[in-house]
Amino acid sequence: MWSSTLLLVLVFWILGRLDNEAQIYDIPNVIIDNKSCLTSSGNNEDEFLTFTSDRALAERLLTKLCTNDVINRQFGRVKVRWSHSDEDVIQYVGKGIADLALVKENLMHAFATQRTHGYDNVAQYQDYATYLFSLKEQPELTKQYLWGKRIGLLDYPSSRSGHIVPKKMLNELGIKDGDVEIVYANSHSALRELLSSGRVDLISSYWHERDSERFSQNYITEIDNNISGSKWYLKMETANTDLRCAVQKTLQTLAKETQSDYYKHLILMKPCMPHDSPVNEEVM
């Protein structure tokens, strides 16, 4: 009986593939958290690993790095990995595994990675504000208003806008854990789903240009307007100037091509001068 059932499953799977051969679907329950490519240096066993929380950004960066002349000369493989998990940040950045990482400055300071692993801040995004979002009214930053509310926060203690700032606000207002209902989500997009579906009364997040399609700016209240933007850190165990320049130019190209208001505002730290770049390196 089991053989017949497995055969039927296989037949239906093949038929489904034939009907949808031009489409690619993610397999349910299989988490894809990295992608990689081989460079032209086939015999080189060195891998250039990038870590970030944004999958779309990581995939675009992979495409750029895989065609970069300097990367192709110095490495045999390029790999990008994305994750929101603080445990993964500790694993890849805290232990110095990642060559290039987009993380919050407070985490880098906590792990002392700049001193222990030689990470250098090569670029960063602009500071931003944190807001309380509501669907039907403007939130108030008072104990009376927030009492009994269902509030959506990020389940990542390192997130400034989704965890640290709102938790600090609640503490300063004298609101204890039992005074509000905290509902945790694993991403900012998941927070927005909680709010739009009515499962929470409020969420804490940043304002994105696409938020105006679902939410009203009349119904957000600023909590903090000086949140440090994420920063790109490159592991510089040696004075690898060619690599630093190549990474900065690649990040600058991504910033110019992106549609995101946040990612387009990139600031290069100690930017490479023309004479720092390799003679044959294409200026991006």
Side-chain angles (χ1 to χ4, degrees):
M1 175 164 178
W2 280 107
S3 299
S4 301
T5 302
L6 290 174
L7 181 60
L8 285 174
V9 171
L10 181 59
V11 169
F12 283 127
W13 181 80
I14 293 174
L15 290 175
R17 293 285 292 181
L18 292 175
D19 289 339
N20 301 280
E21 58 182 7
Q23 303 179 49
I24 300 175
Y25 296 93
D26 286 335
I27 301 174
N29 300 322
V30 175
I31 299 176
I32 301 174
D33 58 10
N34 67 85
K35 285 189 176 181
S36 63
C37 67
L38 295 176
T39 71
S40 57
S41 300
N43 295 326
N44 191 334
E45 296 183 357
D46 289 341
E47 178 181 82
F48 186 81
L49 174 63
T50 296
F51 180 88
T52 177
S53 62
D54 191 314
R55 174 174 180 168
L57 179 66
E59 291 177 337
R60 291 196 299 271
L61 183 58
L62 177 66
T63 301
K64 297 293 184 184
L65 291 175
C66 288
T67 57
N68 183 274
D69 291 342
V70 173
I71 296 292
N72 272 263
R73 285 198 298 269
Q74 297 190 10
F75 300 91
R77 178 186 293 272
V78 179
K79 183 177 182 179
V80 294
R81 194 185 192 287
W82 52 88
S83 173
H84 290 281
S85 168
D86 288 340
E87 289 78 8
D88 283 339
V89 175
I90 295 172
Q91 177 68 24
Y92 285 89
V93 181
K95 295 182 179 180
I97 297 175
D99 297 288
L100 178 65
L102 178 63
V103 295
K104 297 292 186 181
E105 184 179 37
N106 59 323
L107 285 177
M108 297 300 285
H109 287 168
F111 301 141
T113 52
Q114 289 171 280
R115 183 178 68 254
T116 56
H117 301 301
Y119 280 110
D120 183 29
N121 177 205
V122 295
Q124 63 189 54
Y125 298 107
Q126 64 182 2
D127 295 347
Y128 59 96
T130 297
Y131 301 92
L132 274 185
F133 285 54
S134 174
L135 273 182
K136 300 177 182 178
E137 61 182 358
Q138 184 171 25
E140 299 176 12
L141 304 184
T142 65
K143 186 173 184 177
Q144 292 76 13
Y145 175 81
L146 294 171
W147 189 279
K149 291 287 195 298
R150 297 169 300 167
I151 304 176
L153 301 181
L154 280 187
D155 191 23
Y156 301 112
S158 62
S159 172
R160 298 293 301 277
S161 61
H163 194 104
I164 296 175
V165 170
K167 284 276 192 174
K168 179 183 178 183
M169 174 201 66
L170 293 174
N171 183 61
E172 290 176 345
L173 291 173
I175 298 177
K176 301 180 178 62
D177 290 343
D179 299 336
V180 295
E181 180 184 348
I182 304 296
V183 180
Y184 289 102
N186 60 10
S187 69
H188 284 282
S189 59
L191 283 177
R192 284 156 173 75
E193 290 299 326
L194 287 176
L195 181 61
S196 62
S197 65
R199 283 176 282 175
V200 295
D201 304 305
L202 305 164
I203 62 170
S204 178
S205 187
Y206 56 86
W207 181 261
H208 192 279
E209 65 268 19
R210 293 195 300 271
D211 284 331
S212 57
E213 300 172 5
R214 304 170 66 184
F215 309 108
S216 170
Q217 283 190 280
N218 292 324
Y219 299 149
I220 62 174
T221 298
E222 183 179 285
I223 307 176
D224 192 332
N225 62 4
N226 191 30
I227 307 300
S228 177
S230 297
K231 299 184 178 183
W232 285 103
Y233 292 89
L234 177 67
K235 190 162 63 174
M236 292 284 290
E237 296 175 313
T238 61
N240 195 340
T241 307
D242 285 0
L243 180 61
R244 189 177 191 279
C245 292
V247 166
Q248 282 193 328
K249 290 178 181 179
T250 300
L251 295 176
Q252 193 170 43
T253 299
L254 285 180
K256 291 178 180 178
E257 295 178 354
T258 186
Q259 300 299 313
S260 167
D261 275 349
Y262 181 66
Y263 286 135
K264 72 173 55 174
H265 293 104
L266 180 74
I267 303 169
L268 297 182
M269 309 306 292
K270 296 179 292 184
C272 290
M273 303 302 291
H275 63 270
D276 293 331
S277 303
V279 175
N280 296 324
E281 180 73 8
E282 179 183 357
V283 178
M284 300 183 184

